[in-house]
Amino acid sequence: MRELIDRLKAERTLPDRELLLLLTQAGSREREYLFAQARQVSQARFGSWVYTRGLIEFTNYCRCDCYYCGIRRGNQKASRYRLEPEEILRRCADGYRLGFRTFVLQGGEDPYATDQRMVALVQAIKAAHPDCAVTLSIGERSPESYRLLRQAGADRYLLRHETATPSHYARLHPPAQTLEHRMACLWELKRLGYQVGAGFMVGSPWQTADCLVADLRFLEKLQPAMVGIGPFIPHKDTPLAQFPAGTLEQTLLLLGVLRLMFPDLLLPATTALGTISPDGREQGILAGANVVMPNLSPQQVRKKYSLYDNKICTGEEAAESWANLDARMRAIGYRLAVDRGDSPGIHSVQTDMEHP
Ligand code: 5AD
């Protein structure tokens, strides 16, 4: 097993059979070895710095009906909200003072979030904070919409592929939502020059080790700047409420594998990881992750952005959340960076839009 891990580190890939072995047979000693190698790789690229992104969950209206998600259209119990642009800009200004240099606008697929409104919002944030990156995480849109948003100044786009196995995708989503369309969106976003984030849930219902290998193969093709992974966590008001959550161990294992396969990858220790274990995010960093995404949303809406049960949403103000996370990171030998945290090598690429 150690030989496999060494080979993955040296060659950044393995044949299917060996990836399967690693994903299903690694014991705790071998996982520790993997994490040590993964830390070495991330330290060589990023030192002991952890990048931050200020997450603003600006709407939980959604026209999608993903079976796992608490803000799905079909969940009548979700209490819906939308933030006003002024409020969003205030959250960015607060975040900026604390050290955030990336703002992630995340929301459900809200029909109110038209191109016109989103363009104006992106422009306003970029005008107020020209040294910051703006990341959008607002789902599947038309190529024209992605183009307009990029032109307005959006730097990055997060759109998890969720699973690269079509039959698995079909069990997690209604027929109107297809893997084919999701993947087409990801390729279009790349073509437009966004720094793209893909990703998937770990331990989602019906996921097999073969699904995970397919996810890794898809990522090898897509070569995203970022990969967001976190455990599946059931939400009580969804069709998948009765399924067990993904595990901390399996998620950490995948973080380690991803770090060895993609040394430059931006790899967040996600909120879902922090939700299944109190020190999940620290363990994520120690398994090879290098990004955290604290919540900058206003207190009163955080509970409502409930993708899964028990999502961590402490009563912390943004200021406390920076200080607390920094303290947590220092306790394991890392520090939060006051930095946009672009993908290494991205500076050779234009960050301003000229042509699309
Ligand atoms: N458990 C874990 N992650 C979830 N997401 C949505 N619902 C859940 C859940 N029940 C993730 C999806 C989505 C991201 C915004 O949140 O992967 O892309």
Side-chain angles (χ1 to χ4, degrees):
M1 195 63 88
R2 286 195 174 205
E3 182 266 331
L4 278 188
I5 295 167
D6 291 340
R7 202 138 47 78
L8 182 59
K9 186 181 179 191
E11 294 171 17
R12 301 182 184 179
T13 191
L14 287 174
D16 286 3
R17 207 175 44 80
E18 294 179 333
L19 274 179
L20 278 171
L21 209 64
L22 192 55
L23 292 174
T24 57
Q25 306 294 316
S28 63
R29 298 278 284 280
E30 286 139 347
R31 285 204 301 264
E32 284 311 321
Y33 183 72
L34 170 70
F35 301 153
Q37 301 308 308
R39 282 199 293 277
Q40 219 178 66
V41 170
S42 71
Q43 289 256 351
R45 298 293 191 293
F46 305 99
S48 295
W49 295 104
V50 173
Y51 292 143
T52 61
R53 280 82 169 90
L55 183 64
I56 302 172
E57 298 158 335
F58 72 100
T59 173
N60 72 348
Y61 284 86
C62 193
R63 59 187 170 79
C64 297
D65 220 11
C66 310
Y67 299 148
Y68 45 83
C69 183
I71 66 167
R72 64 198 296 269
R73 179 183 66 209
N75 181 12
Q76 315 255 320
K77 291 194 181 158
S79 156
R80 307 286 170 173
Y81 73 90
R82 257 180 216 120
L83 299 183
E84 297 294 336
E86 296 71 29
E87 172 94 10
I88 298 169
L89 284 161
R90 276 200 300 276
R91 304 314 300 161
C92 292
D94 278 3
Y96 188 89
R97 261 179 256 118
L98 295 167
F100 290 98
R101 295 295 178 268
T102 292
F103 302 110
V104 181
L105 298 177
Q106 184 172 89
E109 293 195 16
D110 182 352
Y112 185 82
T114 57
D115 291 343
Q116 206 184 8
R117 291 193 179 97
M118 292 310 297
V119 161
L121 182 57
V122 170
Q123 285 173 337
I125 297 174
K126 292 296 281 193
H129 307 290
D131 54 336
C132 292
V134 170
T135 304
L136 296 175
S137 178
I138 52 176
E140 296 179 28
R141 299 173 78 97
S142 68
E144 175 64 4
S145 173
Y146 289 149
R147 190 184 67 79
L148 290 168
L149 292 165
R150 177 88 179 103
Q151 215 162 31
D155 303 278
R156 312 188 185 132
Y157 205 103
L158 307 181
L159 184 68
R160 290 187 178 179
H161 65 281
E162 311 296 0
T163 173
T165 306
S167 57
H168 186 215
Y169 197 93
R171 297 184 87 164
L172 297 175
H173 302 91
Q177 295 174 234
T178 65
L179 178 57
E180 200 186 356
H181 191 259
R182 175 136 312 209
M183 287 185 168
C185 288
L186 282 164
W187 287 110
E188 180 62 18
L189 289 162
K190 264 210 98 158
R191 198 187 68 78
L192 288 167
Y194 284 94
Q195 296 173 49
V196 170
F200 54 92
M201 292 178 288
V202 177
S204 61
W206 308 288
Q207 185 178 65
T208 62
D210 287 308
C211 293
L212 292 171
V213 171
D215 289 322
L216 298 174
R217 295 289 176 235
F218 171 63
L219 295 173
E220 285 182 328
K221 284 204 205 87
L222 184 69
Q223 292 289 323
M226 184 182 229
V227 173
I229 65 165
F232 162 75
I233 303 174
H235 185 291
K236 60 183 180 352
D237 302 317
T238 62
L240 304 182
Q242 302 308 322
F243 284 84
T247 64
L248 176 69
E249 289 71 25
Q250 190 72 357
T251 309
L252 295 174
L253 182 69
L254 276 150
L255 286 172
V257 167
L258 284 166
R259 173 57 65 211
L260 295 189
M261 291 179 74
F262 307 100
D264 288 344
L265 193 62
L266 297 163
L267 193 55
T270 55
T271 307
L273 194 57
T275 297
I276 52 165
S277 171
D279 65 345
R281 283 175 301 182
E282 287 92 326
Q283 293 201 56
I285 299 297
L286 294 172
N290 66 332
V291 176
V292 289
M293 301 174 68
N295 201 324
L296 285 185
S297 310
Q299 299 295 337
Q300 66 276 16
V301 304
R302 288 192 197 176
K303 272 199 200 52
K304 297 184 179 174
Y305 201 83
S306 159
L307 305 179
Y308 44 81
D309 288 338
N310 308 314
K311 179 163 161 261
I312 37 173
C313 64
T314 51
E316 273 174 352
E317 294 295 337
E320 297 166 314
S321 94
W322 179 284
N324 287 345
L325 254 183
D326 194 41
R328 280 167 173 256
M329 293 302 131
R330 283 171 193 254
I332 57 168
Y334 288 77
R335 293 191 53 188
L336 297 185
V338 177
D339 192 295
R340 278 171 51 117
D342 285 295
S343 181
I346 206 73
H347 294 296
S348 57
V349 177
Q350 55 167 22
T351 46
D352 293 314
M353 264 301 279
E354 280 152 22
H355 55 76

